Amino acid sequence: MPAAVHAAGFEQVLLQTWEQLHAADADTRAVGLLQAVWPQPEAETWSAASLGTRDAALFRLQSALFGPQLHTLTQCPACGETLESQFDCAQFTGEGAPTPVPTALALREQDWEIEFRLPSSNDVVALRDAAADPAVAVSALLRRCVLRLRQGEREASADELPTDLVVQLEARMAASDPLADLRLSLSCPACATAWDAAFDIGEYLWESLDDWAQDLLSEVHLLARAYGWREHDILSLTAVRRRFYLDLVQP
Ligand SMILES: [Zn+2]
């Protein structure tokens, strides 16, 4: 475990966030974790950030808390061989502190002029119920993400967009926010089959945090039982001292 987690007070912040988000859905967890670690003045900022911006920040958080290496286990779709792969978070993140910036983009095609923004966690949560029917979900997403639409001099509504433009707009959104649907290129050492596998950094980070929190609470349990100390006092110990006492309890 890298030193970042053990910084004074930060451990408690993380543990509290883990507890608060325990029963939440994946998107609420992702946004809640980022707001806890990199608080923004506006509560809505992370939930309104594009999915790729949000996920780039989650890669940074994973790297800062648990180290840069990601380990994945996948089954080859052709021969069933289990493939163990390693990736580095730095492959997926930029430099500097993560900042969620909602950006307006434009697409001009034929006589159409479309101003739009990229899909965010807010959109995913709002459209979850519509997702059963892909056509309904796409038009609901466009109604949310198209900010302004004109055909020639006329203001138009997102429902009027011709199908070929809807397809172009979806492609533009995907190209402008590549991390939103991250796929890892894998290749099987046994049969040489190559394929792309989806990778969800939100899920990966949550699992890392869940393992960490459970280990930490197990340590609290052992020390509380051995010494009769209170949870708060055990969590206030530095990691070095806690390790020392644990070694005495469990040589
Ligand atoms: Zn294979």
Side-chain angles (χ1 to χ4, degrees):
M1 176 77 49
V5 180
H6 293 304
F10 190 52
E11 214 173 44
Q12 274 95 323
V13 170
L14 269 188
L15 194 60
Q16 204 172 29
T17 309
W18 168 79
E19 186 181 3
Q20 282 163 357
L21 296 172
H22 206 258
D25 60 81
D27 292 282
T28 310
R29 277 175 180 171
V31 167
L33 270 174
L34 292 176
Q35 181 65 16
V37 178
W38 289 301
Q40 302 296 316
E42 302 281 333
E44 281 277 284
T45 309
W46 280 117
S47 60
S50 81
L51 295 173
T53 307
R54 179 196 79 181
D55 284 4
L58 291 172
F59 275 110
R60 309 257 327 226
L61 186 54
Q62 173 74 37
S63 182
L65 295 178
F66 304 109
Q69 291 297 322
L70 304 167
H71 302 267
T72 61
L73 281 179
T74 332
Q75 275 207 321
C76 170
C79 73
E81 175 89 1
T82 300
L83 178 66
E84 212 180 321
S85 324
Q86 276 198 31
F87 297 89
D88 194 306
C89 287
Q91 279 174 254
F92 310 110
T93 57
E95 294 294 315
T99 39
V101 189
T103 4
L105 302 169
L107 178 66
R108 284 181 192 83
E109 195 62 39
Q110 302 147 31
D111 57 344
W112 291 89
E113 203 174 310
I114 312 165
E115 254 180 63
F116 65 99
R117 61 170 179 78
L118 297 170
S120 68
S121 309
N122 282 339
D123 300 317
V124 176
V125 170
L127 299 179
R128 194 168 289 139
D129 296 336
D133 181 344
V136 174
V138 167
S139 61
L141 181 70
L142 291 186
R143 273 198 298 275
R144 291 177 64 89
C145 291
V146 169
L147 305 171
R148 189 153 181 261
L149 182 62
R150 292 176 72 84
Q151 186 187 28
E153 293 301 306
R154 185 179 74 87
E155 296 278 343
S157 81
D159 291 330
E160 297 175 58
L161 266 182
T163 313
D164 60 322
L165 272 185
V166 171
V167 172
Q168 272 197 50
L169 186 55
E170 284 182 296
R172 230 346 247 296
M173 284 177 168
S176 306
D177 208 23
L179 278 186
D181 182 22
L182 177 62
R183 308 193 77 82
L184 302 174
S185 301
L186 301 173
S187 137
C188 175
C191 74
T193 296
W195 76 101
D196 286 347
F199 180 78
D200 184 342
I201 182 60
E203 193 183 325
Y204 190 97
L205 173 56
W206 184 262
E207 278 174 24
S208 308
L209 187 72
D210 201 41
D211 288 347
W212 166 83
Q214 294 195 27
D215 287 349
L216 181 63
L217 293 180
S218 301
E219 293 181 8
V220 171
H221 163 74
L222 287 171
L223 292 177
R225 198 168 59 173
Y227 295 104
W229 295 337
R230 295 181 310 144
E231 184 196 54
H232 177 266
D233 296 333
I234 297 169
L235 289 175
S236 303
L237 292 172
T238 62
V240 175
R241 283 195 194 189
R242 203 184 295 144
R243 187 75 258 155
F244 179 83
Y245 289 119
L246 278 169
D247 287 345
L248 290 176
V249 173
Q250 289 188 303

